[in-house]
Amino acid sequence: GWQPPAPSQPQPAAPAPQRQQQPREEEEEDANSYDSDEGTTLGALEFSLLYDQDNSSLHCTLIKAKGLKPMDSNGLADPYVKLHLLPGASKSNKLRTKTLRNTRNPVWNETLVYHGITDEDMQRKTLRISVCDEDKFGHNEFIGETRVALKKLKANQKKNFNICLERVIPTKRAGTTGASRGMALYEEEVDRGGDVEERGKILVSLMYSTQQGGLIVGIVRCVHLAAMDANGYSDPFVKL
């Protein structure tokens, strides 16, 4: 009479390994989705920053990049790095490395130095590091960038970074009729003799409505706007 319940005892133990496998599968899916993320295809940049407080200088050593997005027809790129202290528009705020030809894994080992950097600058400024592809026959092309708030650095202590490059990715607005798409508008990532001032980025959406016979413009958001007030902020509005 006691034999029937005996086989039923291992039954609750059967789903146990399945429950243990599910998190592993989810982790694998998350890992695969991260690896295939569009942002990871831009490449990674390795560099170091050092604030020399005694000499009021900021040292940025561009070490190398790995797995940069191919920009040329041969599947390679001609990469260089641009530095830009934000906010700021003067030519002294913009530095660049040499260009390395035909490589997706450049090794610069080049140090660029900003002079006259104060403790106040270290608290309020951000260093923009852009990787670009030099084109002999046209405009230089933007590959990706990263930004470091200088207040994260400690005086006289070198800090190493190894960061995946990022870019502005257009977003799509759901629930709209007609042909609609989100567009990120920002300054062209090309060298123009240092006379181009970055004023920030704006994300807008455009839709042509055939029913209403009009163009619908959506102002979504802005980022990295130039500081216009004494307090380091702005009171922005948009005109069309």
Side-chain angles (χ1 to χ4, degrees):
W2 295 99
Q3 294 180 354
S8 62
Q9 291 179 356
Q11 291 180 356
Q18 296 179 356
R19 294 178 182 176
Q20 294 178 356
Q21 292 177 358
Q22 288 178 354
R24 295 178 183 176
E25 292 177 357
E26 292 177 357
E27 290 176 0
E28 291 178 358
E29 290 178 358
D30 292 342
N32 293 335
S33 63
Y34 176 78
D35 291 338
S36 62
D37 181 35
E38 189 176 10
T40 63
T41 62
L42 300 178
L45 179 66
E46 184 176 344
F47 61 96
S48 66
L49 297 177
L50 170 65
Y51 173 49
D52 186 346
Q53 192 175 34
D54 297 333
N55 296 310
S56 301
S57 59
L58 175 65
H59 299 250
C60 180
T61 300
L62 288 313
I63 303 173
K64 62 182 179 180
K66 184 177 180 181
L68 293 180
K69 178 183 177 182
M71 304 297 291
D72 300 335
S73 58
N74 59 3
L76 301 174
D78 302 314
Y80 66 94
V81 178
K82 290 193 304 182
L83 301 184
H84 189 183
L85 274 180
L86 303 174
S90 65
K91 293 182 179 180
S92 61
N93 276 340
K94 300 174 183 179
L95 304 174
R96 63 163 288 175
T97 67
K98 59 187 177 183
T99 300
L100 298 181
R101 302 291 178 184
N102 298 322
T103 178
R104 294 179 55 198
N105 302 288
V107 179
W108 290 284
N109 284 326
E110 187 173 346
T111 300
L112 304 178
V113 182
Y114 283 102
H115 298 282
I117 301 298
T118 65
D119 292 341
E120 181 182 357
D121 291 330
M122 295 299 295
Q123 291 300 316
R124 69 184 185 90
K125 286 186 176 292
T126 296
L127 180 64
R128 177 193 185 196
I129 307 175
S130 305
V131 180
C132 302
D133 173 65
E134 186 174 296
D135 189 354
K136 295 180 180 179
F137 307 103
H139 295 298
N140 296 339
E141 295 181 277
F142 172 76
I143 298 178
E145 71 170 38
T146 185
R147 303 191 183 205
V148 179
L150 298 185
K151 62 183 178 181
K152 295 181 180 180
L153 303 179
K154 295 182 179 180
N156 304 315
Q157 293 186 18
K158 183 174 73 172
K159 187 172 183 179
N160 298 316
F161 297 84
N162 194 343
I163 302 177
C164 290
L165 297 174
E166 300 177 2
R167 67 178 174 185
V168 177
I169 301 176
T171 58
K172 295 182 180 180
R173 301 294 297 273
T176 57
T177 58
S180 175
R181 61 173 182 168
M183 292 182 291
L185 305 180
Y186 48 91
E187 81 169 65
E188 293 182 2
E189 302 291 341
V190 297
D191 289 337
R192 297 182 180 177
D195 58 349
V196 176
E197 176 184 0
E198 175 172 329
R199 311 296 294 176
K201 301 176 182 179
I202 184 170
L203 179 63
V204 303
S205 64
L206 298 178
M207 181 183 70
Y208 174 67
S209 175
T210 55
Q211 296 177 351
Q212 301 179 12
L215 178 66
I216 301 174
V217 181
I219 308 298
V220 184
R221 62 188 175 94
C222 293
V223 293
H224 306 304
L225 292 181
M228 304 301 293
D229 300 335
N231 61 2
Y233 293 94
S234 302
D235 303 310
F237 65 94
V238 177
K239 292 192 303 182
L240 298 178

